[in-house]
Amino acid sequence: MAASPVVIGVDSSTQSTKVLVVDAGTGVVLGSGRAGHVVTGEQGARETDPEAWWDALRASTGEALRAAAVTPDAVVGIAVAGQQHGLVVLDGAGRPLRPALLWNDTRSAPQAAALTDALGGPAEWLARAGSVPVASMTATKWQWLRENEPAVAARTAAVRLPHDFLTERLAGVAATDPGDASGTCWYSTRTGGYDPELLDLVGLDADLLPTVARNGASRVGSLTTAAAAFLGLRPGIAVAAGTGDNMAAAVGLGLGAAGLLDHPVISLGTSGTAFASTRVRPAAPGIAGFAAADNTYLPLGCTMNCTLAVDKVAALLRLDRDDALPGGETVMLPYLDGERSPDLPHAAGLITGLRHATSPQQLLGAAYEGAAFTLLRALDELFTAAGLDPRDTAVRERPLRLIGGGAKGRVWIETIRRLSGRPVVLPAGEELVATGAAALAAGAASGDDPVRVAIGWGAGQGAELPPLERDIAAWDRMESTLGRASGLLADRS
């Protein structure tokens, strides 16, 4: 039995649900559970039945509780962090009308371009939403649904993000938070609420949307009797508003208490993200100007092709993922599913610089380098958007926190170090999205600041690796290749 109350943090990601049972006082992980999701689709489509997330939540919660050896009476709060941007449409009974369109579904790229033009260009979107529409954003997916499945759109009684869907199942309340809402492109980071003009632009009634809580740790309700029976928990425990996965990772790392971009983060997952906390509202092309779960901001650059793309190349070459060497003259831009940063939704992978002497290990190394280059390039845009020069020595010496599944891989770590020339911190916490969600649950149950709770838990602390000499030659080869190939990649359909 835990010495203090425990909380449950949920990470409902693209491919799986992960649950942590955490001691609310110490942050010690008492038990964990995991259950997978099935993602379907081809030719740009990526979909999942939202009911699969709910079933996975039950399976992973049960596994985590058994591993923790705690009784349901010990649990005082729960919060969900979910994959951002996905479009969930429900009927009047709260049942999904169709599979959710996921963040990496690129079919709405034409709608993104049309919406950008309809409002008057990128500057207008930045001024209102803080982000320019790309195929990932929820507003573009809703517009795609209206144009391609109008009967489904007409029957829609509620529109939710993935984490909203699960939170509503838990508490029986339609609620979201500013962080995840800021990834829809119908929420304004300037006003802190839904933007009526943006909703009109996509023909969406605000009554179909969840209420926006003050922050991700706001207690939006209590666990219903039905949800408690489904999950094997005690009814009445605190349910937090929750947030998006990147915002939860920031909480888990303890970001938000420091100053401007003091702790830049690279997350290596199915997708790759570069983000940092700031108190200044971001609004710059190429950067998603998100709100954070704690009422600060979380400017973020996202790439669609990260660990999954590199693993695909390793599989094609029949190599272990760690059996890689620097690419040498070979350059690979592994944009296997299109790309978001840079905005090339119809792109495919590109290889150049092959020689007779090029080895399979070098080709795999080039895939790592291409993915890392794309992410680090997004990080530089993050600093530029904040008015900082990424080439400035003081900026370049800021340690880079490396998180996500890829941060456990030797080649990922060394590639990031070699291409960035930065010190790298490897936080001790392994499931930072779920840890951040647990901190939000603790905040909902106790009223404490979730960022300070997470700082006290220490999950964001870890060993610091010294900088390596930056491989400028490899960087310049990739920058030159991207510049020459951008037109070709953009023209693919």
Side-chain angles (χ1 to χ4, degrees), residues 284-376:
I287 294 297
F290 294 144
D294 67 334
N295 302 318
T296 58
Y297 297 98
L298 197 76
L300 180 145
C302 179
T303 66
M304 293 180 62
N305 299 276
C306 194
T307 60
L308 193 63
V310 171
D311 285 352
K312 176 65 174 179
V313 174
L316 290 172
L317 296 170
R318 298 185 177 180
L319 294 174
D320 184 88
R321 64 180 59 156
D322 281 342
D323 192 11
L325 295 171
E329 292 183 53
T330 305
V331 171
M332 182 184 299
L333 301 178
Y335 301 162
L336 307 188
D337 290 316
E339 190 45 84
R340 172 170 165 178
S341 299
D343 185 17
L344 298 167
H346 302 300
L350 181 147
I351 304 171
T352 185
L354 283 175
R355 301 286 187 181
H356 279 291
T358 303
S359 69
Q361 290 78 13
Q362 287 177 306
L363 196 55
L364 179 57
Y368 274 100
E369 290 171 352
F373 159 77
T374 307
L375 260 176
L376 291 168

Side-chain angles (χ1 to χ4, degrees), residues 26-256:
T26 65
V28 171
V29 176
L30 304 173
S32 64
R34 183 186 183 281
H37 310 149
V38 175
V39 178
T40 62
E42 54 187 22
Q43 302 297 321
R46 295 292 183 273
E47 299 182 345
T48 294
D49 180 359
E51 295 291 356
W53 303 332
W54 186 234
D55 290 337
L57 179 55
R58 174 169 62 175
S60 51
T61 299
E63 181 182 350
L65 287 170
R66 289 190 296 272
V70 299
T71 66
D73 287 344
V75 181
V76 297
I78 186 170
V80 177
Q83 55 178 306
Q84 289 188 251
H85 309 308
L87 176 68
V88 180
V89 289
L90 306 175
D91 64 15
R95 295 184 296 261
L97 290 168
R98 69 176 319 284
L101 278 69
L102 305 184
W103 66 271
N104 53 350
D105 189 312
T106 59
R107 288 175 291 177
S108 60
Q111 286 74 25
L115 287 173
T116 300
D117 292 341
L119 194 65
E124 291 297 321
W125 281 96
L126 291 172
R128 288 177 175 272
S131 302
V132 179
V134 293
S136 301
M137 302 293 187
T138 320
T140 72
K141 300 180 188 304
W142 171 251
Q143 188 67 11
W144 180 91
L145 191 73
R146 292 178 69 209
E147 295 175 11
N148 290 273
E149 299 179 13
V152 174
R155 291 175 57 204
T156 297
V159 173
R160 302 288 184 262
L161 294 166
H163 115 262
D164 305 340
F165 169 77
L166 292 172
T167 301
E168 189 169 7
R169 284 285 176 93
L170 293 173
V173 175
T176 190
D177 87 300
D180 211 10
S182 66
T184 60
C185 269
W186 54 56
Y187 175 93
S188 172
T189 55
R190 183 180 64 187
T191 65
Y194 296 126
D195 187 306
E197 186 171 343
L198 298 181
L199 290 174
D200 286 347
L201 190 65
V202 296
L204 183 59
D205 189 332
D207 290 341
L208 272 60
L209 298 174
T211 299
V212 182
R214 185 172 60 87
N215 56 48
S218 297
R219 180 170 182 160
V220 295
S222 301
L223 190 67
T224 67
T225 301
F230 183 78
L231 297 174
L233 293 172
R234 173 172 60 88
I237 67 172
V239 178
T243 193
D245 52 4
N246 291 296
M247 294 78 189
V251 172
L253 286 165
L255 303 191

Side-chain angles (χ1 to χ4, degrees), residues 7-19:
V7 289
I8 292 177
V10 180
D11 172 9
S12 181
S13 66
T14 311
Q15 296 180 306
S16 66
T17 294
K18 286 150 281 187
V19 167

